[in-house]
Amino acid sequence: MVTVLEQPKTGQGSGGEPAPSVVEDPRLSRVRNIGVVAHIDAGKTTTTERMIFYTGMIHRLGEVDDGTTVTDWMIQERERGITITSAAITSAWRDHQINIIDTPGHVDFTIEVERSLRVLDGAIGVFCGVGGVQPQSETVWRQADRYGVPRVAYINKLDRTGADFDRVVGEIRRRLGSNAVAIQLPMGREDTFAGLIDLVTLKALTFDEASKGQNVTVSEIPAEFAVAAEKARAEMIEKVAELDEQVLESYLSNPDIPVDVLRAGIRRATVASKLVPVLCGSSLKNKGVQPLLDAVVDYLPSPLDIGVVTGVHPKSGEALTRQADEKEPLSALAFKVATDPYVGRLVFVRVYSGQLRKGSNVYNPRTRKRARVPGLVRLQADSRTEIDVLTAGEIGAVTGLRELTTGDTLCAENTPIELMRIPFPEPVIFMAVEPKSRADRDKLEEALAAMSAEDPTCIIRRDPETGQTIMSGMGELHLEILKDRMVREHHVQANTGKPMVAYYETVTQSGEARNSFDREIGGKRQFATVAIRVSPRARTAGNEVVIETRDDKIPQEFHDAVRSGIEDAILTGILARYPLTDVQVVVHDGQFEQDLSTEVAFKTAALMALRDAVMAGKPEFLEPIMALEIITPAESMGDVMGDLNGRRGRVKDIEARGEMQIIRARAPLAELFGYATAIRSLSRGRASYTLEPEAFDVVPKAVRELLMSR
């Protein structure tokens, strides 16, 4: 029997069956907040474009190569054919509201993935059928693991030469440590890829090319694929039964499990992050996207499935929880800041509980201030729809709140809660920026402030010795995009220096120091004493400042001054003007005199005490180390390995993939400037590579001496 389905209408998917009822709540149970994450060029944006086309949000398919996609709306994205900033789209499928965030795949913009996953309930991991699990695939997968985000995997580009569905499923299991289970099989491979087999319903799905895949044909499985499909379905049922008691009971009574029981079991295992269902398709050829939308509805969680959100009381530190219910007190997290040329400053928010209403008063625990919400909008990439309320489970944006920044919580003042903030990676590269003329000076400061507010990995600081403005970022492309935005968006002409590696300083052991400031300034004696102990923290743990003195040693009124002095010393560094990182600073003693102690005295004493304590803690320089994956022909491998050794690289493993060799290594970023040209020369243009920040390590003695001499 062959059934031809037109574009699925409300309440109906590509398989022609309604979604199983999972939760009774009529609204929240039909909301899905999902992200699309992957390595660069795996096909995230193309997949997202097809999803919103089939849901009816757009009526014309855009293409990445043509620069016509909805989610890649920035001019820099369309020129380069890559996603730079995460874009949010609200669409509908089978009577469900699906909020989709398309995230970047390039490592320089990993913060966009980080803050998106922080607020999403589920994710689609897109993998290239040829490239498989690539470096950034691992990075985004670890980010999703960190936030406990349930996922489905979608193996894309199965029409391309070299695509291998089974190999990629194996890589997802082996390299990502995930319990990946195929719930679909491709029919054919490479240029013979014709459609897919749904293992849950045991039906074949093909997609009409004339209607751009909108008409889906559901039929019996062709004879040549029947045996493989039966075997794969049996394996799928066994793996689901191992994880779900209801499926196991049904399986023991009758191995031919009903579709609704199997689907519900897959959903429970996926929501519990015990299972990763694997789907397949070719988004560019419009094959497999509607079943992917069905999987979002059927298997990924609603806000109700995620349960409670946890936070702390901003004053007492007491642990608090909020239910995903619009009747609960308000709790919402600001996860992204953007500047719209028409609306102005936009702050993206995820509402976890209660209602966020236009015109209502909200409380920000970070600033300890109350603010009125001037406006709310629903997001469609670069277009906005004004709304009056965002309720629990929804994602939207607030307009007009200038003090709100990434990671802030919005809550009710009488029942405050502070949600977990978003961690930001340390920048690995920087360059000096200066205005071309005096007229550009103020505009440059405004532009840099706006860009750093939008992007927490764009860090702006002033070098205390040279007076230069330093802009730090996550890579050369990141700095290039920031420089381009200064010109195009903010209309600022600026001179920029050569990109340089962002070194850091740290301590390798504990150190203590005491410093007394006792000086006459302006005819008045000023006095303060501060005693500090520093100790190393784990890599990437960041800095921690603790003031644990009694009030008779350092009164509360001087704590901010002491903290300010410490933070100044951390920012300016000790050895060679590089910021300190991964240190714990404890102020454990001090001395003040009632009529002589001032804020200036305590700030200066704290700064000097920290400098002395760091020197006692055997300080060292840290340099960014990059994870490097090189794909090279076998005949070029010797030359590539020799060059890598000369760059202080260390090979971790080598894997053969067809005629190519994959070298996974780690090397200092300082040695990788110009590597693209070098590797093309060594392999006659046939090798390629990807790299991403892996860690910060202590520099060798020769590099330390070089940095000290600068």
Side-chain angles (χ1 to χ4, degrees):
M1 185 179 103
V2 176
T3 306
V4 178
L5 299 176
E6 293 186 356
Q7 179 63 36
K9 303 296 189 291
T10 299
Q12 182 174 309
S14 62
E17 298 181 17
S21 178
V22 180
V23 199
E24 293 182 357
D25 187 287
R27 189 190 65 83
L28 277 183
S29 65
R30 293 185 174 273
V31 173
R32 301 288 183 272
N33 295 311
I34 65 161
V36 185
V37 298
H39 184 89
I40 191 170
D41 287 338
K44 297 178 307 307
T45 300
T46 300
T47 301
T48 305
E49 189 79 4
R50 267 58 180 174
M51 291 171 75
I52 60 178
F53 173 71
Y54 295 132
T55 57
M57 294 306 299
I58 57 174
H59 303 289
R60 175 181 171 276
L61 275 177
E63 302 294 348
V64 172
D65 291 342
D66 299 336
T68 54
T69 58
V70 171
T71 52
D72 281 355
W73 55 271
M74 291 174 65
I75 188 168
Q76 293 88 353
E77 294 176 313
R78 293 181 170 178
E79 286 178 348
R80 292 165 174 81
I82 62 171
T83 301
I84 292 171
T85 183
S86 53
I89 293 284
T90 299
S91 58
W93 183 257
R94 284 174 36 186
D95 244 0
H96 286 65
Q97 176 184 323
I98 304 179
N99 301 315
I100 307 171
I101 295 184
D102 176 33
T103 63
H106 197 286
V107 63
D108 284 15
F109 310 104
T110 187
I111 183 59
E112 293 288 337
V113 184
E114 184 81 27
R115 57 184 172 189
S116 297
L117 287 172
R118 170 65 180 84
V119 299
L120 293 173
D121 300 326
I124 300 170
V126 180
F127 298 88
C128 174
V130 180
V133 175
Q134 296 167 285
Q136 190 65 6
S137 308
E138 296 186 56
T139 299
V140 298
W141 207 262
R142 288 195 300 269
Q143 288 172 305
D145 284 340
R146 182 158 56 246
Y147 294 114
V149 177
R151 279 144 281 174
V152 300
Y154 173 66
I155 300 178
N156 189 26
K157 301 188 178 184
L158 288 175
D159 59 309
R160 287 183 54 192
T161 302
D164 188 332
F165 177 79
D166 292 334
R167 173 176 59 79
V168 180
V169 173
E171 287 185 8
I172 295 172
R173 291 172 183 160
R174 186 177 69 257
R175 292 184 60 182
L176 302 180
S178 295
N179 187 17
V181 176
I183 64 170
Q184 294 177 355
L185 286 183
M187 288 196 297
R189 58 186 301 172
E190 300 179 349
D191 58 348
T192 64
F193 176 63
L196 56 90
I197 296 167
D198 184 339
L199 297 178
V200 176
T201 60
L202 264 187
K203 296 291 183 182
L205 279 70
T206 54
F207 304 84
D208 176 48
E209 293 184 11
S211 65
K212 295 184 177 179
Q214 291 187 82
N215 295 335
V216 183
T217 301
V218 181
S219 62
E220 299 302 319
I221 298 170
E224 64 266 34
F225 301 113
V227 174
E230 289 285 356
K231 181 182 177 183
R233 188 174 197 268
E235 290 177 358
M236 175 189 70
I237 289 173
E238 285 182 14
K239 290 181 178 178
V240 176
E242 290 174 1
L243 302 171
D244 189 86
E245 289 186 7
Q246 294 183 39
V247 173
L248 179 61
E249 289 176 8
S250 179
Y251 177 71
L252 292 175
S253 61
N254 180 8
D256 188 17
I257 297 178
V259 169
D260 58 340
V261 174
L262 182 56
R263 189 177 280 142
I266 295 172
R267 177 184 177 81
R268 285 189 293 270
T270 303
V271 169
S273 294
K274 297 177 180 178
L275 182 75
V276 177
V278 183
L279 300 93
C280 60
S282 171
S283 299
L284 185 64
K285 298 297 177 66
N286 308 310
K287 295 176 181 177
V289 178
Q290 293 99 320
L292 179 60
L293 281 163
D294 287 338
V296 168
V297 169
D298 290 341
Y299 306 129
L300 289 181
S302 72
L304 288 176
D305 295 312
I306 298 302
V308 300
V309 62
T310 59
V312 297
H313 193 284
K315 292 182 179 178
S316 66
E318 175 192 358
L320 300 172
T321 60
R322 293 285 186 271
Q323 298 281 347
D325 188 339
E326 61 184 49
K327 296 178 182 177
E328 284 266 303
L330 171 68
S331 65
L333 185 73
F335 66 95
K336 179 179 170 68
V337 177
T339 303
D340 186 281
Y342 304 106
V343 181
R345 198 168 191 265
L346 283 173
V347 182
F348 292 46
V349 294
R350 158 71 191 267
V351 181
Y352 285 96
S353 63
Q355 296 184 345
L356 183 60
R357 287 190 172 277
K358 178 181 177 180
S360 64
N361 288 325
V362 294
Y363 180 69
N364 184 342
R366 179 182 62 84
T367 61
R368 305 290 173 94
K369 292 181 180 178
R370 183 196 312 124
R372 184 175 173 275
V373 178
L376 294 171
V377 295
R378 199 178 299 283
L379 304 156
Q380 304 294 343
D382 61 338
S383 63
R384 326 283 180 212
T385 303
E386 291 191 14
I387 55 175
D388 292 326
V389 63
L390 285 170
T391 58
E394 291 192 315
I395 292 175
V398 179
T399 61
L401 282 183
R402 296 196 61 83
E403 290 192 359
L404 195 61
T405 188
T406 302
D408 281 355
T409 300
L410 294 179
C411 59
E413 189 172 9
N414 59 344
T415 52
I417 185 173
E418 188 165 15
L419 304 176
M420 182 183 75
R421 297 187 69 84
I422 303 168
F424 305 127
E426 297 282 1
V428 298
I429 195 169
F430 71 88
M431 67 182 179
V433 184
E434 61 182 27
K436 282 192 174 180
S437 66
R438 287 189 176 183
D440 286 316
R441 182 171 298 164
D442 291 342
K443 290 171 64 177
L444 175 63
E445 289 184 3
E446 290 176 8
L448 293 175
M451 291 193 300
S452 63
E454 293 179 24
D455 181 356
T457 58
C458 168
I459 296 178
I460 309 299
R461 65 181 176 89
R462 186 173 294 276
D463 189 300
E465 294 191 17
T466 65
Q468 287 182 308
T469 298
I470 305 298
M471 179 167 66
S472 302
M474 297 305 298
E476 290 182 86
L477 179 61
H478 189 198
L479 293 182
E480 180 187 325
I481 296 296
L482 291 170
K483 180 181 174 182
D484 193 50
R485 289 185 61 198
M486 277 194 296
V487 176
R488 294 190 178 184
E489 293 179 28
H490 300 280
H491 311 292
V492 177
Q493 298 298 320
N495 296 318
T496 55
K498 181 182 176 182
M500 300 179 70
V501 173
Y503 293 97
Y504 288 87
E505 299 175 14
T506 193
V507 295
T508 56
Q509 66 180 38
S510 294
E512 291 193 37
R514 174 184 294 266
N515 186 276
S516 292
F517 181 88
D518 191 351
R519 193 174 301 171
E520 190 171 298
I521 300 176
K524 181 183 177 183
R525 184 183 167 210
Q526 300 196 33
F527 173 83
T529 297
V530 176
I532 283 177
R533 180 173 58 251
V534 297
S535 54
R537 301 186 77 201
R539 291 286 172 264
T540 73
N543 299 318
E544 181 183 36
V545 179
V546 180
I547 301 177
E548 56 180 33
T549 60
R550 302 197 312 264
D551 283 355
D552 63 333
K553 299 289 187 180
I554 302 178
Q556 285 281 343
E557 63 197 82
F558 296 117
H559 282 195
D560 287 345
V562 170
R563 192 176 294 273
S564 176
I566 291 170
E567 289 173 351
D568 282 355
I570 286 174
L571 187 62
T572 55
I574 309 301
L575 294 175
R577 306 198 318 274
Y578 295 109
L580 278 164
T581 190
D582 299 338
V583 295
Q584 183 189 55
V585 182
V586 178
V587 181
H588 62 87
D589 197 9
Q591 185 180 351
F592 91 108
E593 293 189 14
Q594 187 69 46
D595 298 325
L596 301 178
S597 293
T598 63
E599 289 188 353
V600 171
F602 269 109
K603 180 176 179 178
T604 307
L607 187 150
M608 299 307 296
L610 180 62
R611 287 179 178 272
D612 294 341
V614 168
M615 292 307 295
K618 291 193 175 179
E620 288 287 357
F621 293 103
L622 296 176
E623 65 177 344
I625 305 296
M626 310 301 284
L628 189 63
E629 183 171 290
I630 305 166
I631 302 176
T632 179
E635 61 266 24
S636 302
M637 194 166 75
D639 292 336
V640 171
M641 294 274 282
D643 178 74
L644 195 58
N645 289 334
R647 296 174 184 270
R648 295 195 280 133
R650 183 165 59 84
V651 175
K652 294 192 286 189
D653 67 83
I654 300 173
E655 175 188 336
R657 183 179 292 172
E659 297 179 354
M660 307 298 280
Q661 298 288 323
I662 300 175
I663 303 169
R664 297 186 184 93
R666 65 198 309 267
L669 175 61
E671 304 290 344
L672 295 175
F673 283 96
Y675 191 59
T677 303
I679 199 168
R680 280 197 295 266
S681 175
L682 292 168
S683 64
R684 297 177 184 174
R686 295 182 63 195
S688 62
Y689 76 98
T690 55
L691 76 163
E692 62 178 356
E694 181 183 78
F696 281 86
D697 280 355
V698 174
V699 302
K701 183 178 179 181
V703 177
R704 175 190 167 94
E705 291 174 355
L706 179 64
L707 294 174
M708 291 288 288
S709 66
R710 287 182 180 177

